[in-house]
């Protein structure tokens, strides 16, 4: 099967009729916008009286909570827990800030756990564009961070990530991330201009990596602030490229995954490991990246290291996110598939409605 | 490459010289022993004055914390968090019970985070056979749950799981699991007698599944109480079988992984998805198993559902664990590889010492 040239502008029109590319272009500005909206948002002052944060969400909304948690972890003096499922954790109480995050406002798991939260004394907050979640919150006077960016939920990531980070800052739990946002937005614009569809493959690292992942199984490794970025890559490869992909996290992967490079023997040549690296990671962790690279080499598994950019953890994280978004987009085009629709999820929701 | 007959007793002597099989045989009794030891353990009464539990550990020790947390979650009114890494979470305080779990007592990440915990007012406890962790705890009069079962850490799972569950009960955080243990031990013995090496493949479901996974990529799905069992399967396939393996969790996998069954096209026939199911799961979640099975079928991906056994969540979890342990063992034999050594980890530790 021959695949399209990523340097032919026609292929994007053909395989991306809904314009996923536009969402990638807009990601830097969406970060700016989401941060500013969150700064202006009316947050009840008593919400600062908490000792844990619980983010309810799934998929493209949950990952915003994961990334926020991984960015806040080093500073925050309270647990920030992302809950993906129907059940509200039993520890939810008046000292818990419950953030229900659902792009559509109709995610069934998020609604189920949020409805349980309504029966507790928890401080509650909704992040959504509408749906039942918005109605439920409105009826009860629960603050709603409402936005109207029209996109597949995963392309609206800034709205599920930056508000949470901003609220943590405004509640006095972490430092002000405005300087980090100010660094990140232009940095992402610069990165985008180096890897967008107008840059030929010969100079475009995202196109090059997509080529390399074509007809291969991508396995993405991360650590610390890049651990949840690895998950983001995996899910974007699933949803945009319609491709199998998995992720693993350092240092845990050094305790099991590295032993498994041997069988089936034929698989070694079918897998490409992508190591999401950041110069901000602890020295010992960076050493693990190097040694794991040696182990992959010895096992005949090819791999590539991608470095985050910028000084702030936010820049490092978001530059790796944007890079992965582009890679998954180009891989969709190489597979001659439209990155936007997620038919399997549509089928699933249909069947669940019947069930 | 022809592979060995799993019904020939000679192959186990040949490929399993260190006797991993004996550890599988002993798992049921180890559960009994670990539970009893934990009941008899001297636990400081003021340890009940906590509002979160933090388990520090990696690999085969961490998974005990994961399984305990997933079994306690429905009842416990406090967060139980497993921390895999060098950094102690910033929320660790006097109301935190920190359990450092390391089979050898020399796991570098666990020691690093435990040493940070020593500088906090947290309630501390060590689970180990010795090493530096035991010394550190001893010097400071920190309670040590000490055991001496000689085995690869992953084969000593009962000692990293049942004490945590027992301590949670004894601190008044969950109900008494003695009835569940009383159900689980004979149930595991019965299961073991149906899938151990003496039972011919024609009647042995674990041998049959191992055959099916041979030269395939296993991807293990779990949900709720089986979510962390899926991780256990993945790591046992890595470490025992030296094989690539991945795991995913419901309902999250319904938001991304299911979209990725399409590419690379050739991969569909190389993957076997194992669905770890439990009749105790919520109805809605069980429906998701069925629909996901349909999606796999439509994508031409073969899959197999394995059911947990018994009435109690503990029995369900441990029967699935034991089943997976046997499967990973048989798969090692089919690959003509010794299940015990983990040379990649040895290499890694060597290189880290230099670094």
């Amino acid at each position: 099967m021959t695949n399209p040239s990523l340097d032919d502008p026609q292929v994007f029109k053909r395989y991306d009729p809904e314009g996923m590319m536009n969402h990638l272009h807009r990601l830097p500005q969406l970060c700016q916008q989401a941060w500013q909206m969150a700064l202006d948002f009316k947050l009840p002052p008593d919400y600062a009286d908490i000792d844990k944060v619980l983010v309810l969400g799934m998929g493209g909304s949950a990952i915003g909570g994961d990334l926020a948690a991984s960015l806040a972890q080093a500073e925050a003096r309270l647990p920030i827990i992302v809950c993906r499922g129907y059940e509200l954790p039993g520890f939810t109480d008046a000292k818990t800030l419950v953030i229900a995050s659902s792009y559509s406002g109709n995610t069934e798991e998020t609604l189920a756990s949020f409805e349980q939260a309504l029966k507790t004394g928890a401080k509650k907050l909704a992040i959504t564009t509408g749906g039942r979640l918005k109605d439920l919150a409105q009826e009860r006077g629960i603050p709603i961070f409402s936005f109207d960016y029209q996109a597949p939920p995963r392309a609206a990531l800034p709205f599920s990530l930056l508000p949470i980070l901003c609220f943590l800052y405004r509640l006095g739990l972490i430092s002000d991330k405005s300087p980090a946002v100010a660094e990140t937005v232009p940095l992402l614009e610069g990165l985008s201009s180096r890897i967008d569809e107008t840059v030929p493959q010969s100079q475009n690292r995202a196109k090059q990596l997509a080529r390399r992942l074509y007809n291969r199984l991508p396995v993405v490794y991360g650590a610390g602030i890049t651990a949840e970025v690895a998950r983001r890559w995996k899910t974007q490869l699933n949803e945009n490229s319609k491709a199998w992909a998995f992720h693993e996290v350092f240092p845990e992967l050094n305790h099991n995954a590295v032993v498994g490079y041997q069988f089936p023997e034929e698989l070694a040549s079918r897998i490409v490991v992508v190591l999401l690296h950041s110069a901000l990671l602890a020295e010992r962790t960076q050493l693990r990246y190097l040694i794991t690279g040696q182990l992959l080499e010895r096992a005949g598994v090819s791999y590539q290291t991608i470095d985050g950019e910028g000084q702030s953890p936010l820049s490092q994280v978001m530059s790796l996110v944007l890079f992965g978004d582009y890679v998954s987009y180009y891989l969709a085009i190489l597979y001659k598939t439209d990155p936007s629709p997620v038919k399997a999820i549509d089928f699933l929701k249909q069947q669940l409605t019947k069930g």
Side-chain angles (χ1 to χ4, degrees), chain A:
Chain A
M1 163 166 141
T2 62
N3 50 51
S5 160
L6 294 176
D7 294 341
D8 171 7
Q10 295 307 316
V11 300
F12 303 109
K13 286 185 188 148
R14 177 160 173 201
Y15 295 112
D16 180 23
E18 297 181 40
M20 178 65 85
M21 179 58 86
N22 297 329
H23 298 304
L24 302 190
H25 293 166
R26 293 185 61 181
L27 194 91
Q29 278 307 316
L30 292 181
C31 290
Q32 178 65 56
Q33 188 187 336
W35 180 257
Q36 191 55 52
M37 282 168 65
L39 281 174
D40 299 338
F41 183 72
K42 211 174 149 188
L43 200 59
D46 69 314
Y47 275 31
D49 181 27
I50 51 169
D51 63 13
K52 47 200 163 313
V53 176
L54 188 60
V55 180
L56 312 177
M58 304 299 304
S61 300
I63 188 74
D66 291 322
L67 292 169
S70 68
L71 285 164
Q73 213 151 39
E75 290 176 70
R77 295 266 168 261
L78 82 186
I80 304 166
I81 297 166
V82 179
C83 169
R84 292 174 154 88
Y86 293 95
E87 290 300 318
L88 188 76
F91 57 73
T92 311
D93 60 12
K95 300 275 271 181
T96 309
L97 172 59
V98 173
I99 302 176
S101 178
S102 164
Y103 176 88
S104 68
N106 292 320
T107 312
E108 99 171 26
E109 300 93 318
T110 311
L111 285 173
S113 51
F114 184 64
E115 282 177 16
Q116 293 161 51
L118 294 178
K119 294 171 199 149
T120 71
K123 278 109 183 155
K124 289 166 280 278
L125 200 150
I127 299 179
T128 187
T129 62
R132 175 112 182 93
L133 177 59
K134 193 168 189 173
D135 293 344
L136 275 173
Q138 228 149 21
E139 284 164 20
R140 283 159 183 81
I142 292 166
I144 305 166
F145 181 90
S146 172
F147 62 102
D148 59 6
Y149 184 65
Q150 295 297 311
R154 61 192 181 281
L157 174 69
F159 294 100
S160 63
L161 161 55
L162 287 150
I164 296 180
L165 211 55
C166 187
F167 299 154
L168 294 175
Y169 149 58
R170 290 182 53 204
L171 296 173
L173 302 166
I174 60 173
S175 65
D176 185 3
K177 300 303 169 208
S178 296
V181 173
E183 180 198 16
T184 301
V185 174
L187 182 140
L188 292 182
E189 283 173 336
L191 173 61
S192 191
S193 74
R194 281 178 281 127
I195 59 174
D196 77 11
E197 77 285 9
T198 64
V199 180
Q201 185 174 308
S202 58
Q203 299 150 47
N204 188 320
R205 288 165 56 234
K207 287 183 179 177
Q208 288 164 12
L209 181 54
R211 279 255 165 236
R212 197 165 171 194
L213 297 182
Y214 178 75
N215 264 343
R216 295 286 178 277
L217 172 62
V219 178
V220 190
Y221 288 178
I225 53 168
T226 79
E228 296 303 328
V229 186
R231 186 206 285 267
R232 168 73 175 182
W233 275 58
K234 176 237 180 273
T235 57
Q236 290 290 78
L237 290 163
N238 291 155
E239 291 188 78
N240 288 346
S241 323
K242 327 301 179 212
W244 294 91
F246 299 100
H247 74 114
E248 302 248 13
V249 171
F250 285 99
E252 176 66 15
L253 71 89
N254 280 164
H255 293 263
N256 34 66
V258 294
V259 187
Y261 295 159
Q262 211 171 333
F263 299 111
E265 278 171 12
E266 53 168 47
L267 212 56
S269 64
R270 313 302 302 157
I271 287 177
V272 176
V273 174
V274 179
L275 294 135
L276 302 184
H277 181 264
S278 166
L280 303 183
L281 292 174
E283 212 179 302
R284 208 78 187 141
T285 304
Q286 295 193 47
L287 182 56
R288 287 181 179 274
Y289 274 71
L290 291 177
I291 304 171
T292 301
Q294 293 171 30
L295 284 166
L296 287 165
E297 246 162 67
R298 289 156 57 120
V301 181
S302 72
Y303 67 95
Q304 182 160 339
T305 304
I306 307 290
D307 275 282
E309 299 180 14
Q311 302 298 312
S312 63
L314 183 65
S315 289
Q316 291 275 326
V317 162
M318 288 310 298
S319 58
L320 287 170
V321 165
L322 185 62
F323 197 100
D325 284 6
Y326 271 104
V327 170
S328 66
Y329 176 87
Y330 293 132
L331 187 57
I333 304 300
L334 290 177
Y335 282 131
K336 300 182 180 172
T337 192
D338 183 344
S340 295
V342 287
K343 286 180 193 156
I345 297 177
D346 300 339
F347 172 80
L348 214 136
K349 284 182 183 165
Q350 243 169 35
Q351 296 300 106
L352 279 168
T353 311
K354 285 191 218 161

